[in-house]
Amino acid sequence: MYWIFWAAVGILAVLIAVWPRQGVVARWCRARRLASRARREDALKHILKTEANGREATLESVSGALQLSPRKTAGLLAELESGGLIHFEGGRMQLSDQGRELATHVVRAHRLWESYLAEQTGLTEEQWHRQAERQEHLLSRQQAEALAAQLGHPRIDPHGDTIPEPGDTLPADRGSSLNSLQPDAPAVITHVEDEPQTLYARLTREGLRPGVKVCILERTPNMVRLWGHGREHLLSPLEAQSIGVEPLKGLSLKELQSQVFLHRLQPGQTARIVELSPACRGMERRRLLDLGFVPGTVVTVDMASPMGDPRAYRVRGTTVALRHDQARWIRVEPLASSVP
Amino acid sequence: MPETADKALSSEVAELLRTVQQYRQRIQADLHEQVVAAIYAHAEQIAARAVCSSVGPKRPTLDQKIDRIVTSRLWGFPIMFALFALMFWITISGSNVPSAFLAEWLVERGHPWLRDLTLAWGWPDWLRGLTIDGMYLATAWVVSVMLPPMAIFFPLFTLLEDLGYLPRVAFNLDALFRKAGAHGKQAMSLMMGFGCNAAGVVSTRIIDSPRERLIAILTNNFSVCNGRWPTQFLMATLFVGALVPAPWSSLAAAGAVTGVALLGVLMTFVVSWALSRTVLKGQPSAFSLELPPYRPPRVWQTLYTSLLDRTIFVLWRAVVFALPAGALIWLSANVHIGNDTLAAHLVRTLDPVAIWVGLNGVILLAYVLAIPANEIVIPTILMLTVVVTGQPEAGAGAGVLFEVEDQNVLRTLLVQGGWTTLTGLNLMLFSLLHNPCSTTLYTIYKETGSWRWTLWAALLPTAIGLSICFLTTCLYRACT
C-alpha cells in the first residue's frame, strides 16, 4: 500500500518542479533571466552616471560598481556591445543611442520608485534603495509614466537627484562633497548618497536629508563637526563624503545657529512658523499642513504630557498634540513678547 | 480635413505642455504646499471679515486648569486609573442584576416553556432539539450574558468620550505606545476591547494613521473582553484558588485573573512593537492628536447613540452568528456515527494535539464550536464533557447547554473529565490568547476590507496562545 503513497508524492514533486510558469524550474529560469537583465541594466546605469558626472567608465569601475570579477565584467561588456547597447571608440566605452535610452529609463524608474516609497508608504529611508534597486528592472516604460503621473510628475527624488524625463540627458549630480566645503560657510544639502546602506541609515537618523541647511564648525583629519537642524553632528570623513552640498549665499553661520525649531520652545512660549523642513515629507508633511502648521501661522506651546513627549500646541484656535519627531521639522521664529 | 486639424491641435498641445513645463521649472518649492498656504491665507482673510467672536484665540482658563491637572506628572496617571477602575466596577456590579434577570427569563423559564409549547404542537424531537435546544438556547445565553455589561459599559465610555477626557488619556499614554510603534489613541480601543473586542475594533476608526490603525485592530483581541471574564473567574476559583489555603484562595484567584489581564496588555505592546517593525513597516504613518475643548456631555444623546450604535450593533452581529452555532453545537452532540456522537469522534481526534498544549479535546472543540461568542464557551465545555464522559444525566440532555451553580459539583464534573490544575491554568491563558470570536472577525473584515488582515488577526493570537500553553505544559511537567 505504501508504494501508492510514495508514487503520489513523487508525481506531485515532479509536477511542482516542471509546471509551466508556476513551477520551480520555470521560476528559477525566470529569476536567472531577470538577474542577468538586471546586471546588464546596472552596467548601463553605471556608465550613464559616470558620463553625466564627467568621468570615464572603465572595466575596473564597472566591475567595482557591480561587484563582479573582472573576467565576468569583460563578458558582460562584450554582451552589451554585441547587443548594440555600447560601443568602444579608441578604447573608450560609449553608450549607443539605444543603450542611453535604456539606461535613462532605468535611472528614471529607480528615482520614481523611491519618490513613490517616500511619498506614499511608511517605509523608512534605509528600505527605499533596496526596493528601488529591484523595481527599476521591473517597471515598464508605460508603468513608469503612470507612476510619474500619479505622483504629480516629480522632478526631484527624495535624495535630491533629478528624475530624468525620457529623452533627457542625465544632469550631473548637484553640489560638491561636504569634504570640499569651507568651515563657517553655510550650505544646503542637495544629495545624500544611499550606498553603502549602514552609512546612509546613520545619516538619515541624524536628520541629515536633502534640503537641510548645514555648516561645518570644525574639521580635523578624522572627523567633521557639523551644525545642522538646530544641533551639532559628528561625522567621519567617509560619512561626509556621501553628503553633497551647495553653498548658500546670504546666510551667515550665526543666523543658521540662531534658527529655532518648534520642539525647543519652552511651554507657554509663542512663535511664528517660518518653514517646514524639506526633510519632512510624504504623509507626515501633508498631515502637518492639514492641521494648520503652515508658514506664517502663530503657535503657542500649551502643555507637555506626563512623559514630556508629545506636547500640545495651540494653533489656529485648536489644541493639537505633536511628537518631538514631528515638531523638530518645524522652524519657527519666537515672538519676543511671549518669552516667559 | 480632420488630419490637418489633428496636427494643428497636437502642435498646440505640445506648445501648451512646453509652457506648463516652463512654469513648473519656475516654482521653487512644492506646489501642493503653496496651494495649502494660499487656502489658509484666503480663509483667514474671509474669517477676519465675516466672523466675530466674543472669546479670543486664547483657550478658556477652566479648560487649561483641568488640563494642567489631568495631564500633570503627579496626577495624570492616578486620575486615569481611578476613573477606569470606577467604570469597571460600575459595569461589573451593575450588570449582575439585569444579567440574572435575563438569564432567569430567557434561559431558565423561557427554554422549558418553549420546549413544552413545541411538545404540545407535536414537533418532532430533532426539530425541537435543533431549534429550541440548539439555536434558541445559544442565542438566549449570548444575549443574557452579553447585553447588560455592554449596555452599561458603552454609555459610560461614550460619556467620557463626549466630555473630552479620552483624548487626554491618549495624550498621557502616547509616549508608551510610541515606543511600541503605535498611536496613543490605541489606549482607547484597548479599553473598549475590555468591554467587547468587536466594538474595540470599530473604535479604532479614531486612529487616522493607517499603520497604527492596523496595529490597534490586530492587537485588540489581547484585551480580555466581557465574554471571557466569566471563564477567567471560574478557572481561577476552581483551580488556582484551590492551590492555596482556604482563607487566601479568593485573593489568589483574583491575582491570577489580574495577571492574565495584565499579560494581555503586555502582549498588546509586544505584538504592536513586532508588527510595526515587520509586517506593517510599509504602511504609511503620521501622528496627529487633537485635544478638543471640554464640554458638558449630552447625556440623552449619548445614551441613545451608544445603545444604538454600539450595543445593539454588536449584539445583532453576535445573534446572527449564535443562531447557526447553536444548531452546530446541538448537532455535534446528537448526530451519531457508529456508536458514538460526532462530538466524541471530534474530541478523540483533537485529544492528541490538545495533550501537547496541556488542554484537552473538549476545550479545543468548544472553542471551535463556540466561535460566535466567548460567552458560551463554558456552557459548551460542560455540555461536551458530560456527553463525552457518558453521563448526560449530569447535564440537561445531549446538546443542551447548561451551567452548574455549585462549585464542588462543577469541580468534580471537570476532574472526572480529566482536568488538572494545568488544564485550568492553560484554559485561562488560551482564553486570553486565541482567535477572536466570529463577530469580531467579521468586524475586522468589515473595517480593513481585507481577508489577509482578518486571517492575521485570527492566526496570530492562536499561534501565540498555543505556543505559550505548550511552554507552560513543558514547565509544569518538568516540575511535577
Side-chain angles (χ1 to χ4, degrees):
Chain A
M1 283 309 277
Y2 278 113
W3 68 269
I4 298 184
F5 173 73
W6 289 114
V9 168
I11 292 171
L12 200 68
V14 170
L15 279 182
I16 288 175
V18 302
W19 197 266
R21 286 204 298 283
Q22 298 297 319
V24 174
V25 175
R27 277 168 194 266
W28 186 74
C29 288
R30 208 165 47 227
R32 265 193 63 108
R33 272 202 303 279
L34 179 65
S36 83
R37 197 178 83 209
R39 249 197 323 274
R40 286 198 298 276
E41 292 181 350
D42 283 340
L44 290 176
K45 193 170 72 172
H46 169 76
I47 300 170
L48 182 71
K49 278 187 178 171
T50 46
E51 182 196 276
N53 286 312
R55 293 194 304 272
E56 204 175 294
T58 59
L59 183 95
E60 290 76 46
S61 77
V62 175
S63 110
L66 271 65
Q67 295 180 326
L68 275 181
S69 71
R71 202 172 56 82
K72 280 190 176 167
T73 313
L76 179 64
L77 291 178
E79 195 186 328
L80 288 176
E81 194 183 9
S82 66
L85 295 169
I86 57 169
H87 48 85
F88 290 90
E89 274 182 16
R92 292 174 55 186
M93 222 183 283
Q94 298 276 324
L95 287 170
S96 71
D97 286 346
Q98 200 192 342
R100 184 179 309 280
E101 197 272 337
L102 180 57
T104 313
H105 165 69
V106 173
V107 172
R108 175 175 162 78
H110 181 101
R111 294 182 179 174
L112 276 174
W113 195 254
E114 283 190 334
S115 308
Y116 162 72
L117 293 178
E119 293 296 328
Q120 304 197 350
T121 70
L123 292 178
T124 54
E125 287 93 335
E126 301 98 81
Q127 292 153 354
W128 297 342
H129 185 68
R130 262 185 56 194
Q131 293 229 358
E133 275 296 302
R134 213 180 114 71
Q135 204 67 31
E136 65 184 9
H137 306 296
L138 297 174
L139 281 181
S140 71
R141 282 163 181 73
Q142 287 91 337
Q143 283 169 328
E145 217 38 62
L147 187 62
Q150 192 201 337
L151 294 172
H153 298 282
R155 289 180 297 131
I156 308 285
D157 81 353
H159 299 298
D161 298 324
T162 308
I163 299 173
E165 295 281 327
D168 277 4
T169 48
L170 188 72
D173 288 343
R174 289 158 69 204
S176 48
S177 148
L178 189 63
N179 280 334
S180 61
L181 187 72
Q182 291 304 309
D184 295 340
V188 60
I189 297 181
T190 52
H191 174 81
V192 180
E193 190 55 48
D194 50 12
E195 274 187 319
Q197 221 182 359
T198 46
L199 220 69
Y200 182 64
R202 187 177 122 68
L203 292 177
T204 51
R205 266 201 305 280
E206 290 277 317
L208 298 173
R209 308 182 191 178
V212 172
K213 298 187 183 90
V214 293
C215 184
I216 292 184
L217 299 172
E218 187 194 349
R219 192 205 308 276
T220 65
N222 41 24
M223 63 106 194
V224 177
R225 213 150 61 83
L226 188 72
W227 181 268
H229 237 293
R231 66 187 185 95
E232 270 189 39
H233 306 270
L234 277 183
L235 301 180
S236 70
L238 192 66
E239 284 163 343
Q241 186 62 38
S242 53
I243 298 179
V245 292
E246 254 172 27
L248 264 181
K249 306 265 177 328
L251 183 76
S252 70
L253 173 61
K254 238 196 159 97
E255 280 164 354
L256 188 67
Q257 280 185 318
S258 63
Q259 287 188 347
V260 182
F261 293 86
L262 190 56
H263 69 296
R264 291 294 164 91
L265 292 184
Q266 297 298 314
Q269 217 176 343
T270 300
R272 187 187 303 281
I273 294 175
V274 180
E275 65 164 354
L276 261 65
S277 163
C280 166
R281 38 188 319 130
M283 186 165 175
E284 182 116 46
R285 188 183 189 89
R286 288 194 294 275
R287 179 55 48 78
L288 285 177
L289 291 171
D290 293 344
L291 290 172
F293 290 90
V294 272
T297 310
V298 175
V299 184
T300 309
V301 185
D302 199 341
M303 59 188 175
S305 67
M307 288 182 253
D309 180 16
R311 294 201 300 179
Y313 300 93
R314 189 81 182 148
V315 56
R316 292 180 187 275
T318 57
T319 311
V320 174
L322 291 186
R323 292 175 175 171
H324 280 348
D325 281 350
Q326 297 171 293
R328 70 177 175 144
W329 300 122
I330 302 173
R331 184 151 79 81
V332 294
E333 152 193 78
L335 297 180
S337 61
S338 72
V339 178
Chain B
M1 304 295 225
E3 246 175 50
T4 46
D6 265 5
K7 245 179 215 163
L9 193 67
S10 69
S11 81
E12 253 174 61
V13 167
E15 180 62 29
L16 193 64
L17 283 177
R18 251 199 306 284
T19 322
V20 169
Q21 206 60 32
Q22 274 169 8
Y23 276 106
R24 272 174 61 84
Q25 305 282 342
R26 257 193 260 169
I27 296 169
Q28 285 303 316
D30 190 2
L31 178 65
H32 175 246
E33 204 157 306
Q34 294 186 359
V35 171
V36 172
I39 291 175
Y40 269 111
H42 196 62
E44 224 164 51
Q45 231 176 16
I46 297 174
R49 255 203 333 259
V51 181
C52 57
S53 157
S54 54
V55 278
K58 280 238 176 266
R59 290 178 70 192
T61 41
L62 180 65
D63 268 33
Q64 230 160 10
K65 269 186 194 151
I66 298 176
D67 266 346
R68 292 280 177 280
I69 297 170
V70 298
T71 67
S72 71
R73 265 166 199 277
L74 186 62
W75 291 108
F77 291 118
I79 289 178
M80 209 168 66
F81 287 125
L83 265 176
F84 281 122
L86 182 71
M87 209 162 82
F88 280 118
W89 181 76
I90 294 178
T91 307
I92 292 173
S93 59
S95 59
N96 276 339
V97 177
S99 253
F101 176 79
L102 279 176
E104 161 127 28
W105 281 97
L106 289 178
V107 179
E108 279 163 41
R109 297 197 185 183
H111 180 234
W113 181 75
L114 278 172
R115 274 183 78 104
D116 293 344
L117 197 66
T118 47
L119 213 59
W121 286 344
W123 282 20
D125 277 351
W126 66 267
L127 185 63
R128 185 174 52 249
L130 193 66
T131 50
I132 307 300
D133 293 344
M135 294 163 95
Y136 170 77
L137 193 58
T139 312
W141 212 293
V142 169
V143 170
S144 65
V145 183
M146 203 182 208
L147 181 60
M150 284 205 302
I152 297 174
F153 185 76
F154 289 151
L156 285 179
F157 202 84
T158 318
L159 275 181
L160 279 187
E161 199 176 356
D162 212 29
L163 185 70
Y165 178 66
L166 290 188
R168 271 72 183 178
V169 172
F171 183 61
N172 284 346
L173 288 175
D174 182 65
L176 220 60
F177 281 96
R178 179 169 50 91
K179 293 204 177 94
H183 194 297
K185 285 182 190 165
Q186 193 177 331
M188 284 182 243
S189 66
L190 186 143
M191 296 308 297
M192 189 70 121
F194 281 111
C196 169
N197 292 137
V201 169
V202 174
S203 75
T204 60
R205 284 181 193 169
I206 50 171
I207 303 176
D208 47 8
S209 176
R211 184 199 300 173
E212 283 78 358
R213 175 149 183 240
L214 267 176
I215 290 177
I217 289 178
L218 294 182
T219 57
N220 195 269
N221 188 41
F222 296 122
S223 301
V224 181
C225 75
N226 170 27
R228 290 185 262 175
W229 288 109
T231 316
Q232 300 289 349
F233 284 128
L234 188 65
M235 288 302 122
T237 3
L238 285 187
F239 292 99
V240 180
L243 288 180
V244 291
W248 301 102
S249 62
S250 57
L251 200 65
V257 175
T258 318
V260 169
L262 288 181
L263 177 70
V265 175
L266 181 72
M267 289 307 295
T268 303
F269 283 105
V270 172
V271 174
S272 297
W273 181 85
L275 281 175
S276 69
R277 270 156 192 77
T278 53
V279 201
L280 295 177
K281 68 181 176 193
Q283 300 285 330
S285 143
F287 177 81
S288 76
L289 171 64
E290 200 182 323
L291 301 175
Y294 291 102
R295 57 164 183 238
R298 297 155 296 176
V299 178
W300 292 113
Q301 197 177 340
T302 302
L303 274 178
Y304 176 76
T305 52
S306 67
L307 276 178
L308 218 66
D309 285 1
R310 290 178 175 158
T311 315
I312 298 299
F313 165 81
V314 172
L315 195 69
W316 172 243
R317 279 193 183 171
V319 165
V320 168
F321 284 109
L323 283 170
L328 279 183
I329 291 172
W330 186 84
L331 284 176
S332 76
N334 284 283
V335 173
H336 288 260
I337 299 174
N339 288 327
D340 260 335
T341 57
L342 186 59
H345 282 291
L346 287 171
V347 166
R348 266 203 299 279
T349 319
L350 286 171
D351 257 334
V353 186
I355 295 302
W356 277 96
V357 290
L359 297 169
N360 57 43
V362 167
I363 297 177
L364 288 189
L365 183 61
Y367 268 101
V368 175
L369 287 175
I371 195 173
N374 284 293
E375 280 84 350
I376 52 172
V377 164
I378 286 290
T380 312
I381 287 177
L382 293 182
M383 187 277 286
L384 288 174
T385 307
V386 296
V387 167
V388 172
T389 52
Q391 39 178 348
E393 66 283 358
V400 183
L401 301 179
F402 67 97
E403 219 166 30
V404 181
E405 293 296 327
D406 189 340
Q407 292 197 343
N408 287 326
V409 178
L410 193 58
R411 196 179 149 81
T412 324
L413 184 71
L414 291 177
V415 171
Q416 273 173 356
W419 289 47
T420 59
T421 310
L422 176 71
T423 323
L425 194 67
N426 275 359
L427 178 57
M428 285 178 83
L429 289 172
F430 193 69
S431 156
L432 169 72
L433 304 166
H434 73 284
N435 58 292
C437 64
S438 56
T439 315
T440 306
L441 283 175
Y442 181 65
T443 310
I444 291 174
Y445 173 70
K446 279 276 176 193
E447 293 296 313
T448 59
S450 134
W451 284 112
R452 183 169 163 235
W453 293 127
T454 314
L455 209 62
W456 264 97
L459 296 183
L460 186 71
T462 316
I464 294 175
L466 289 178
S467 14
I468 286 193
C469 284
F470 177 69
L471 275 180
T472 51
T473 311
C474 290
L475 270 177
Y476 183 84
R477 289 190 182 145
C479 292
T480 53

